[in-house]
């Protein structure tokens, strides 16, 4: 692939079978990200619309539903199958530890599911989520928006076509200073039980999953270091809420063929996100790599020359929901499926174990 | 420190006491780096000149000596003190595993020493080198040219003055595709016994030592992964020459206050060198960080604003020898002293142990 062909590919949707129809989604959980990023993407999609919203806050739910002409459900109504004809599929955007319950409900209604990352808070629960959807014969997609970002998709093709030679190593960072934000210590992502961990589960999953996607391979072992000294400073956390271990985390992941990935994630510090892949004959660096709907800057040096480009691509969240709908409408299994999400939860669980023990943890293939 | 003051500092020598006199150096070992980088720097220095060259290759030695009006010695003559008045100090540029012998000889002659990095091939031998110079009362400097690079020195002041807030993590890479070079598998840096290791000892020491310098702190524990599958490919190595374990190496180093450094070094793959420091309120990225006499590009985001600069600084190798001479002439202990070099050898030895065992290795303070 020459470099101009790569830039062209990074601007283009590469999976669209132009299916008939649309998929109407029930959005389960109306947090900030669902309201401000996901619902606008669903409304803008070629193959999606908003059929229902599920929330425990009736006022918030009514505000969102009225603006979008959607049905309002509370969690009991959703569980009991109220207005089940108002939606074809379910988008799960609750705290991580609650994904399994909502996925089981969707599968019980025979609805396809797209679930936010990470798939669940523990490996055991992620396995149960995959099993529930397989048993019900419904599609389960993990909402890895990087895998539907045209820039990232084009880079995956470039790397797999040998654009950087044989990959040798990967490095990536997602530093997201949530602790300095306005939402305070009570938010669920800072509750280790609801979130399944700290920075690694919430944002470290981005460089991890994106590297797995770009390499087309999974690590077989991890080492890690993590710390969380006094993350809440003078804003005391809920004393009943378990603390996470990783305000900062660093993971070494041993991929096949000797490729090692170094990933770091933080809940404090100067924000940045980037990913870099090194190969025998080239190198790809993505800046602004994981910012939602952010403009990626890509720098490549390779046998085919050097290039830097930005300003191409598309809103990857809209792409994500359209891709999910396309999969449902055409009966195509999604690339970021439930097992993809499960694999990351297992890797991150192993990384927490490695950080705690100080020893390399081998991963078993699932 | 405001950002323009930082740029100004990065252009300025900050240690010069304008001493009287010069230090005449004997260069021990006439490899490519000594001939093409170090000797021109010594000749160009304000306070240095070339007094002698020591080599086992009389023709090469004569060529170098004639061009610079220096005395020629072989290793036997150097050991026996021939022409000892022709030089005031010794620059050791032999393979790593031979540093100790040459340092002992210099100390025995009462000569000050500047020794290439890493200080020796093993911790035990590095300790012996430090002890020999202390017993003889001569100065021992480890030739960490980054510590005399005005850009790096200015950044160290910036970081220690709180320019990025409290440091939270560090990341760095030195990928040097020596295996793809023209020198073949017989070169000493590919001989684990002479070099003390592979990529970590040869180039990984740069991000490690520079981070220690910038943070003013030493790690207390390391984890690592390393591999060297078939580094020589179709160019068989000398069968009598021990193979190194690290064509590629990745180290996590736990510094005080929870700061973790991630360092990677490789002997193959697309070349690059960079270092990045993240703090609570800012971030410093140095591109082209470790290229000899290369132009650094520095990007900073901080409370004081954002800046990118390059094209400032000075030839850090000339700075290195002038700094050494300044220390000798003024009786100032060098910052990168023998213990600094010893500390890195110990850290790297622990990293090899960690990579081999898969377990975190604690470091004892020396």
């Amino acid at each position: 692939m020459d470099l101009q062909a790569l830039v062209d590919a990074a601007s283009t949707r590469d999976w669209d079978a132009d299916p008939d129809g649309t998929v109407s989604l029930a959005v389960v959980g109306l947090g900030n990200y669902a309201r401000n990023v996901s619902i606008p993407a669903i409304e803008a999609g070629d193959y999606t619309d908003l059929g229902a919203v599920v929330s425990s806050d009736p006022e918030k739910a009514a505000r969102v539903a009225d603006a979008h002409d959607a049905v309002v459900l509370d969690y009991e109504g959703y569980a009991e199958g109220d207005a089940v004809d108002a939606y074809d599929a379910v988008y799960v955007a609750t705290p991580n530890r609650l994904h399994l319950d909502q996925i089981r409900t969707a599968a019980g209604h025979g609805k396809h599911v797209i679930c936010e990352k990470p798939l669940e808070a523990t490996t055991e629960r992620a396995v149960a989520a995959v099993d529930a959807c397989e048993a019900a014969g419904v599609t389960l997609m993990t909402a890895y928006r990087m895998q539907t970002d045209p820039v990232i998709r084009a880079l995956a093709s470039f790397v797999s076509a040998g654009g950087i030679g044989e990959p040798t190593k990967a490095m990536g960072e997602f530093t997201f200073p949530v602790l300095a934000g306005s939402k305070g210590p009570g938010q669920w992502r800072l509750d280790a039980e609801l979130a399944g961990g700290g920075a690694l589960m919430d944002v470290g999953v981005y460089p991890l999953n994106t590297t797995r996607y770009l390499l087309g391979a999974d690590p077989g072992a991890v080492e890690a270091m993590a710390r969380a000294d006094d993350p809440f400073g003078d804003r005391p956390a809920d004393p009943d809420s378990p603390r996470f271990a990783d305000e900062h985390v660093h993971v070494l992941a041993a991929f096949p063929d000797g490729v090692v990935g170094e990933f770091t994630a933080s809940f404090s510090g100067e924000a940045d996100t980037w990913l870099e892949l090194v190969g025998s004959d080239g190198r790809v660096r993505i800046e602004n790599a994981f910012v939602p709907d952010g403009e990626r800057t890509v720098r490549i040096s390779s046998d085919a020359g050097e290039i830097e480009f930005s300003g191409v691509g598309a809103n990857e969240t809209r792409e994500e929901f359209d891709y999910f709908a396309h999969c449902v409408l055409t009966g195509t299994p999604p690339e970021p499926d439930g097992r993809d999400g499960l694999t990351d939860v297992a890797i991150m669980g192993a990384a927490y174990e490695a950080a705690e023990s100080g020893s390399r943890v081998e991963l078993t293939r699932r």
Side-chain angles (χ1 to χ4, degrees), chain A residues 173-181 199 203 227 230-231 244 246-248 265-272:
Chain A
E173 177 185 0
F174 197 143
T175 291
F176 174 49
V178 62
L179 293 171
V203 290
R227 69 156 168 136
D230 182 22
F244 50 84
D246 52 330
E247 177 181 352
H248 304 280
S266 292
F267 269 167
S268 68
E270 184 80 359
D272 202 10

Coordinates of all heavy atoms in Angstrom, one line a residue, chain A residues 173-181 199 203 227 230-231 244 246-248 265-272:
Chain A
E173 N -0.4 5.5 25.3 CA -0.7 6.1 26.5 C -2.2 6.7 26.4 O -2.5 7.2 25.4 CB 0.2 7.3 26.8 CG -0.1 8.1 28.0 CD 0.8 9.3 28.2 OE1 1.7 9.6 27.4 OE2 0.5 10.0 29.2
F174 N -2.9 6.7 27.5 CA -4.1 7.4 27.7 C -4.1 8.0 29.1 O -4.3 7.3 30.0 CB -5.4 6.5 27.5 CG -6.6 7.3 27.2 CD1 -7.6 6.8 26.3 CD2 -6.9 8.5 27.8 CE1 -8.8 7.4 26.0 CE2 -8.1 9.2 27.5 CZ -9.0 8.7 26.6
T175 N -3.8 9.3 29.1 CA -3.8 10.0 30.4 C -5.0 10.9 30.4 O -5.1 11.8 29.6 CB -2.5 10.8 30.7 OG1 -1.4 9.8 30.9 CG2 -2.6 11.7 31.9
F176 N -5.9 10.7 31.3 CA -7.2 11.3 31.4 C -7.4 11.8 32.8 O -7.7 11.1 33.7 CB -8.3 10.3 31.0 CG -9.7 10.8 31.2 CD1 -10.1 12.0 30.6 CD2 -10.6 10.0 31.8 CE1 -11.4 12.4 30.8 CE2 -12.0 10.4 31.9 CZ -12.4 11.7 31.4
P177 N -7.2 13.2 33.1 CA -7.1 13.6 34.5 C -8.5 13.8 35.1 O -8.9 14.9 35.5 CB -6.4 15.0 34.3 CG -6.6 15.4 33.0 CD -6.8 14.2 32.1
V178 N -9.2 12.7 35.2 CA -10.6 12.7 35.7 C -10.6 13.2 37.1 O -11.6 13.8 37.6 CB -11.2 11.3 35.5 CG1 -10.4 10.2 36.3 CG2 -12.7 11.3 35.9
L179 N -9.5 12.9 37.9 CA -9.5 13.3 39.3 C -9.4 14.9 39.4 O -9.8 15.4 40.5 CB -8.3 12.7 40.0 CG -8.3 11.2 40.1 CD1 -7.0 10.6 40.6 CD2 -9.5 10.8 41.1
A180 N -9.0 15.5 38.4 CA -9.0 17.0 38.4 C -10.2 17.6 37.8 O -10.4 18.8 37.8 CB -7.7 17.5 37.6
G181 N -11.1 16.7 37.4 CA -12.4 17.2 36.7 C -13.4 17.7 37.7 O -13.2 17.7 39.0
A199 N -7.7 3.4 36.3 CA -7.3 4.0 35.0 C -7.2 2.9 33.9 O -7.6 3.2 32.7 CB -6.0 4.8 35.1
V203 N -9.6 3.8 30.7 CA -8.9 4.3 29.6 C -7.7 3.5 29.0 O -7.4 3.6 27.8 CB -8.5 5.8 29.8 CG1 -9.7 6.7 29.9 CG2 -7.6 6.0 31.1
R227 N -0.2 2.3 40.8 CA -0.2 3.0 42.1 C -1.4 3.9 42.2 O -1.9 4.4 41.2 CB 1.1 3.8 42.4 CG 1.2 5.0 41.4 CD 2.1 6.0 42.0 NE 2.4 7.0 41.0 CZ 2.4 8.3 41.2 NH1 2.1 8.8 42.4 NH2 2.7 9.2 40.3
D230 N -2.9 8.8 46.8 CA -4.0 9.6 47.5 C -4.8 10.3 46.5 O -4.8 11.5 46.4 CB -3.3 10.6 48.5 CG -4.3 11.4 49.3 OD1 -5.4 10.9 49.4 OD2 -4.0 12.5 49.7
P231 N -5.4 9.5 45.6 CA -6.0 10.1 44.4 C -7.0 11.1 44.7 O -7.3 12.0 43.8 CB -6.6 8.9 43.7 CG -6.7 7.8 44.7 CD -5.7 8.1 45.7
F244 N -9.7 2.2 43.9 CA -9.0 1.5 42.8 C -7.5 1.5 43.1 O -7.0 2.4 43.9 CB -9.3 2.2 41.5 CG -9.1 3.7 41.5 CD1 -7.9 4.2 41.3 CD2 -10.2 4.5 41.7 CE1 -7.7 5.6 41.3 CE2 -10.0 5.9 41.7 CZ -8.8 6.4 41.5
D246 N -5.2 1.8 40.7 CA -4.4 2.4 39.6 C -4.9 3.8 39.2 O -5.7 3.9 38.3 CB -4.4 1.4 38.4 CG -5.8 1.0 37.9 OD1 -6.7 0.9 38.8 OD2 -6.0 0.8 36.7
E247 N -4.3 4.7 39.9 CA -4.4 6.1 39.4 C -3.5 6.2 38.2 O -3.7 6.9 37.3 CB -4.0 7.1 40.6 CG -3.9 8.5 40.1 CD -3.5 9.4 41.3 OE1 -3.4 8.9 42.4 OE2 -3.3 10.6 41.0
H248 N -2.3 5.5 38.4 CA -1.4 5.4 37.3 C -1.1 3.9 37.1 O -0.9 3.2 38.1 CB -0.1 6.1 37.6 CG -0.2 7.5 37.9 ND1 -0.4 8.5 37.0 CD2 -0.3 8.1 39.1 CE1 -0.5 9.7 37.6 NE2 -0.4 9.5 38.9
A265 N -1.7 4.2 31.5 CA -2.9 5.0 31.6 C -2.9 5.7 33.0 O -2.3 5.1 33.9 CB -4.2 4.1 31.5
S266 N -3.5 6.9 33.1 CA -3.5 7.6 34.3 C -4.8 8.4 34.5 O -5.4 8.8 33.5 CB -2.4 8.6 34.4 OG -1.1 8.0 34.4
F267 N -5.2 8.5 35.7 CA -6.4 9.3 36.1 C -6.0 10.7 36.5 O -6.8 11.5 37.0 CB -7.2 8.7 37.2 CG -8.3 7.7 36.7 CD1 -8.9 6.9 37.6 CD2 -8.7 7.8 35.4 CE1 -10.0 6.0 37.2 CE2 -9.8 6.9 34.9 CZ -10.4 6.1 35.8
S268 N -4.7 11.0 36.5 CA -4.2 12.4 36.8 C -3.0 12.7 36.0 O -2.3 11.8 35.4 CB -3.9 12.5 38.3 OG -2.8 11.8 38.7
G269 N -2.6 13.9 35.9 CA -1.5 14.3 35.1 C -1.9 15.0 33.8 O -3.1 14.9 33.4
E270 N -0.9 15.6 33.2 CA -1.2 16.4 31.9 C -1.8 15.4 30.9 O -1.2 14.4 30.5 CB 0.1 17.0 31.4 CG 0.0 17.9 30.2 CD -0.5 19.3 30.6 OE1 -0.8 19.6 31.8 OE2 -0.6 20.1 29.6
A271 N -2.9 15.8 30.3 CA -3.7 14.9 29.4 C -2.9 14.7 28.1 O -2.3 15.6 27.6 CB -5.0 15.4 29.1
D272 N -3.0 13.5 27.6 CA -2.5 13.2 26.3 C -2.9 11.7 25.9 O -3.1 10.9 26.8 CB -1.0 13.3 26.1 CG -0.6 13.6 24.6 OD1 -1.5 13.8 23.8 OD2 0.6 13.5 24.3

